[in-house]
Amino acid sequence: MTNILDVQNLKTYFHTEAGIVKAIDGISLHVEKGETLGLVGESGSGKTMTALSVLNIVPSPGKINGGKILFNNNVISNLDEEQMRKIRGKKIALIFQDPTSSLHPLYTVGKQIADILKTHDKLNSNDAKNRVIELFIEVGIPEPKIRVNQYPHEFSGGMKQRVAIARALALNPELLFADEPTTNLDVTIQAQVLDLLKHLKKSKQMSLIIITHDMGVVADITQRIIVLYAGMVAEIANTKTLFKNPKHPYTRQLLDAVPRPDIKKRLKPIPGNIPQLISPPTGCRFHPRCKYAEKICSEKISALETVSKNHLVSCHLWKKIKF
């Protein structure tokens, strides 16, 4: 398969008065055309920052300090702002984590999406409004002709998320990042949103990256998962392989924290907290929280090693650990 996105040794740092925060510290990943990839990990692991780096919208005082980003085999990490505007939304789009804060409260939802179409596709007001109605139909918003004239506060959480999806799809992107698309939604609405993303990805032949801290969210929708921890890659594997045969202790603990309706088990929280990235732990960044850690774990960062085809893990002890 051809890669639509190729991220090579990406480093995104925040230069603060307290020191340099290494939010992303050498992440490499790829996404194949038509693939649904999961980026998972706790808050602060670098998931959202990866998406913002690809789109070159890292908030100040952050900046990309190294690495290369290729989209459709073209380097985009060295493009200026005017060139990136032609890619954002039209080629690569992002569904922001919280639709309530990303939708402007003083403008109708229809206008907020229509303005995108008028700016990028040069549609007139009438054609733009009709396109927004079509988008609302695609994402399952009822009474779209009425809803386009309503304000964000008139929508439920699930409907706001559908508006956010419609906005991201307005320019028919080839690659879509969905950042925590089910956060703050009840279980039924979560399932509906994930089914919608799955359907839209297939019908529009997009590539999709699901960003989440919840392993349960990526179980059915993804083909492959990348586990991030403290700005680095911990494990990469096909979804079924990762769930059946995780090799990194962090991955195992993420899975142990997921409730399973088919298995009665006591959920096991991961002890401790993700480290401060101004002065991260030496060696493996997970070692202070890992019950299997040995001396080498605190002394040396493990390179990604091949477990099997398409399965990589960054752990010194993966061959001898038995979960």
Side-chain angles (χ1 to χ4, degrees):
M1 291 289 289
T2 305
N3 292 341
I4 190 169
L5 179 69
D6 194 0
V7 176
Q8 301 173 4
N9 199 29
L10 178 66
K11 297 182 180 181
T12 301
Y13 296 168
F14 285 75
H15 298 261
T16 71
E17 291 183 3
I20 298 174
V21 180
K22 297 180 178 181
I24 298 178
D25 201 14
I27 286 177
S28 295
L29 59 88
H30 71 273
V31 185
E32 297 177 357
K33 288 190 176 181
E35 180 181 29
T36 301
L37 177 75
L39 276 185
V40 302
E42 295 166 281
S43 296
S45 60
K47 308 182 303 296
T48 298
M49 201 52 59
T50 299
L52 299 181
S53 299
V54 169
L55 289 162
N56 199 11
I57 51 174
V58 176
S60 180
K63 65 181 223 178
I64 297 173
N65 277 63
K68 186 184 290 186
I69 302 169
L70 295 90
F71 179 71
N72 282 330
N73 293 320
N74 296 311
V75 178
I76 64 171
S77 46
N78 60 0
L79 299 182
D80 60 30
E81 179 60 21
E82 185 177 346
Q83 292 170 317
M84 279 304 299
R85 283 200 198 104
K86 297 175 183 177
I87 292 175
R88 291 191 205 111
K90 205 165 185 65
K91 300 291 184 181
I92 308 172
L94 170 63
I95 302 170
F96 288 94
Q97 186 167 345
D98 181 9
T100 299
S101 60
S102 66
L103 291 169
H104 199 296
L106 300 182
Y107 297 98
T108 66
V109 294
K111 173 178 170 51
Q112 294 183 56
I113 300 175
D115 284 349
I116 295 170
L117 294 163
K118 287 191 281 188
T119 300
H120 289 272
D121 285 351
K122 310 302 180 186
L123 299 184
N124 61 41
S125 295
N126 189 58
D127 288 344
K129 184 174 182 179
N130 287 335
R131 174 62 183 140
V132 175
I133 291 171
E134 290 175 5
L135 284 165
F136 278 16
I137 293 170
E138 284 184 39
V139 300
I141 295 176
E143 300 181 299
K145 292 182 180 179
I146 296 173
R147 292 300 228 169
V148 292
N149 297 316
Q150 293 182 327
Y151 293 85
H153 74 269
E154 298 179 83
F155 288 74
S156 67
M159 283 297 137
K160 283 180 188 174
Q161 191 62 283
R162 289 174 187 265
V163 171
I165 293 170
R167 179 178 58 185
L169 295 178
L171 301 176
N172 293 311
E174 297 174 45
L175 174 63
L176 177 64
F177 285 93
D179 190 1
E180 300 280 6
T182 60
T183 297
N184 299 325
L185 302 178
D186 65 47
V187 176
T188 303
I189 304 301
Q190 283 185 22
Q192 291 175 2
V193 168
L194 291 174
D195 284 344
L196 174 62
L197 287 172
K198 193 185 299 185
H199 166 73
L200 291 169
K201 178 254 179 185
K202 185 176 181 180
S203 65
K204 294 181 174 292
Q205 298 182 321
M206 296 184 301
S207 301
L208 176 63
I209 300 177
I210 302 286
I211 295 171
T212 183
H213 64 277
D214 187 345
M215 296 293 281
V217 168
V218 294
D220 288 331
I221 195 172
T222 62
Q223 282 89 53
R224 199 162 51 92
I225 294 173
I226 298 176
V227 180
L228 301 182
Y229 183 77
M232 303 180 79
V233 174
E235 189 163 5
I236 303 173
N238 295 332
T239 302
K240 288 182 180 179
T241 301
L242 198 80
F243 274 78
K244 288 183 178 180
N245 190 30
K247 290 299 181 182
H248 200 287
Y250 180 58
T251 307
R252 176 72 270 170
Q253 292 193 264
L254 284 176
L255 291 169
D256 286 342
V258 177
R260 291 273 302 272
D262 57 326
I263 299 175
K264 290 184 178 180
K265 66 172 184 176
R266 187 181 183 88
L267 298 182
K268 301 175 185 176
I270 303 173
N273 297 300
I274 206 160
Q276 292 288 333
L277 296 181
I278 290 178
S279 54
T282 57
C284 172
R285 291 186 176 178
F286 187 62
H287 87 261
R289 304 171 71 187
C290 181
K291 65 181 181 181
Y292 303 101
E294 296 181 1
K295 186 179 178 183
I296 190 174
C297 302
S298 63
E299 296 176 340
K300 183 180 178 183
I301 295 173
S302 174
L304 280 169
E305 296 184 32
T306 300
V307 178
S308 59
K309 185 180 179 183
N310 300 319
H311 190 176
L312 303 171
V313 65
S314 175
C315 177
H316 293 291
L317 310 175
W318 69 270
K319 291 180 181 178
K320 68 188 220 180
I321 292 176
K322 303 296 180 185
F323 297 125

